[in-house]
Amino acid sequence: DLALEKVEAFETSSGIGVRGKVNGQDMALGNTTLMQQLSVRIQDLDAQAEALRAAGASVMYLAVDGQLAGLLAVSDPIKASSQEALNSLKANGLRIVMATGDGLTTARAVGARLGIAEVHGEVKPADKLRLVEQLQKEGCFVAMAGDGINDAPALAKANVGIAMGTGTDVAMNSAQITLVKGDLRGIAVARSLSQATVRNMKQNLLFALLYNALGIPIAAGALYPLTGWLLSPMIAALAMSFSSASVITNALRLRGRRP
């Protein structure tokens, strides 16, 4: 039954927090970076904040008129499907990197639970973009998965952008793939389907090459001097139809694939 006051002069700093005025007081709620920008001393609650981060919680500081007033800890349970998805990707030889705007201690705690060794914490949107660019310079083919506005630049820059259907429209518009249910196992499924599709395309190209390699020389009369064989238009038309039917039938096998 709290009566919420109106917020005036509201500002949001992407990836670090929000600011505004409530009853004439300057309020700021955000992470360590925002507090540093505002020259707010947070050392008095450092030990408590680190203990919460070590437990996997995200910590936000509240400052009132430039003075630390307290902190707020928020924790999300890790989806049961996330570990299965990561194990599947690792088994396929993929390098897993975690980048988050949460504190480094929180990121490491979550990373440790999921078995992710390479973790980046307190990462701003521009930092995520630079991380993708750095990995690409190292010769990596980068797939980036994200769900928020902060992830949009990195999603657009990655070789493959993967957005969560449960996330923001900006993220989905910036990505090439959207996981409708936001389940990370969909990444492994999409990758498996992609590999199967490429294999199918190569098979179809091989079929077409074989048909043409056999049919065109016979149609051109290459065997006529030796055997007297010629390819009648009716047989040629039948062979062409069979070629198209075999390619289409092979492609349709993908519909029944269950990764």
Side-chain angles (χ1 to χ4, degrees):
D1 297 323
L2 292 176
L4 301 180
E5 301 291 342
K6 183 179 179 181
V7 180
E8 299 174 339
F10 178 80
E11 297 178 18
T12 176
S13 300
S14 186
I16 62 174
V18 295
R19 299 172 62 185
K21 280 183 174 292
V22 179
N23 283 336
Q25 292 181 304
D26 290 320
M27 301 280 191
L29 180 67
N31 61 14
T32 304
T33 302
L34 180 61
M35 296 299 111
Q36 289 174 344
Q37 289 182 3
L38 300 176
S39 300
V40 176
R41 177 183 170 82
I42 60 174
Q43 286 77 2
D44 293 343
L45 291 179
D46 268 351
Q48 187 176 350
E50 281 299 296
L52 290 166
R53 292 189 184 109
S58 300
V59 174
M60 293 166 280
Y61 296 97
L62 174 65
V64 180
D65 290 332
Q67 299 297 317
L68 184 64
L71 56 80
L72 179 68
V74 181
S75 180
D76 275 333
I78 296 173
K79 289 183 179 179
S81 60
S82 296
Q83 188 67 69
E84 179 185 342
L86 292 173
N87 290 342
S88 176
L89 294 173
K90 287 178 182 178
N92 284 305
L94 271 69
R95 171 183 169 190
I96 308 296
V97 180
M98 176 181 169
T100 174
D102 290 332
L104 184 57
T105 303
T106 303
R108 285 174 175 166
V110 174
R113 293 183 196 175
L114 294 172
I116 303 174
E118 191 170 346
V119 173
H120 301 266
E122 294 192 5
V123 178
K124 303 184 186 70
D127 297 328
K128 291 183 181 180
L129 176 60
R130 279 193 291 270
L131 178 59
V132 170
E133 291 173 338
Q134 180 60 39
L135 291 170
Q136 289 173 332
K137 288 178 182 177
E138 293 174 7
C140 298
F141 192 92
V142 181
M144 163 76 183
D147 63 355
I149 295 173
N150 298 340
D151 300 315
L155 287 170
K157 180 62 179 176
N159 299 94
V160 180
I162 305 170
M164 304 296 129
T166 52
T168 62
D169 290 339
V170 174
M172 286 186 277
N173 290 334
S174 301
Q176 289 82 41
I177 298 174
T178 298
L179 305 181
V180 178
K181 296 181 180 179
D183 189 335
L184 289 180
R185 289 177 296 185
I187 298 175
V189 172
R191 188 170 181 272
S192 176
L193 287 173
S194 175
Q195 291 173 323
T197 301
V198 172
R199 280 198 302 270
N200 195 282
M201 291 164 62
K202 291 178 179 178
Q203 292 164 1
N204 288 343
L205 287 172
L206 180 61
F207 290 156
L209 179 63
L210 288 174
Y211 282 123
N212 286 294
L214 292 172
I216 292 176
I218 297 175
L223 299 180
Y224 183 75
L226 300 175
T227 64
W229 290 357
L230 286 173
L231 193 62
S232 74
M234 290 182 63
I235 295 177
L238 182 63
M240 189 64 200
S241 299
F242 182 72
S243 171
S244 299
S246 65
V247 167
I248 293 171
T249 302
N250 188 46
L252 288 174
R253 290 191 305 111
L254 291 170
R255 296 183 64 184
R257 180 175 175 78
R258 292 292 180 268

